[in-house]
Amino acid sequence: MKPEEIRKLEAYFKRNINKEIVIKARPRKDESAEVYLADEFLGVVFRDDEDGELSYNFSMAILDIDL
């Protein structure tokens, strides 16, 4: 993802979920970025640009040992 996209997504997550969220670019991956809460990995946000419509999908796995 481009740095401008990451900044916009991070602002959205901070405004709507938690002010401590940080989004980091992934090495060698242009279509996604990693989402962290402080230093804990939460998930991945994917860029979806199909049929001329741009959207983003956030994927978060929750292990049963974390519940």
Side-chain angles (χ1 to χ4, degrees):
M1 278 190 209
K2 297 175 184 167
E4 179 63 25
E5 284 179 294
I6 291 174
R7 281 192 295 275
K8 287 179 181 179
L9 285 166
E10 187 172 89
Y12 176 85
F13 274 80
K14 286 178 183 279
R15 189 172 55 249
N16 292 291
I17 299 173
N18 189 301
K19 294 183 186 296
E20 293 186 37
I21 285 189
V22 176
I23 299 181
K24 300 178 183 179
R26 297 175 77 191
R28 300 179 302 276
K29 302 282 184 180
D30 294 336
E31 73 289 342
S32 60
E34 296 177 346
V35 180
Y36 291 84
L37 179 57
D39 62 346
E40 185 171 343
F41 177 77
L42 288 182
V44 178
V45 62
F46 295 92
R47 182 182 202 271
D48 185 4
D49 189 10
E50 287 192 25
D51 303 326
E53 292 184 19
L54 178 60
S55 64
Y56 299 91
N57 298 304
F58 176 58
S59 178
M60 178 178 171
I62 302 169
L63 303 175
D64 69 344
I65 62 171
D66 291 332
L67 297 177

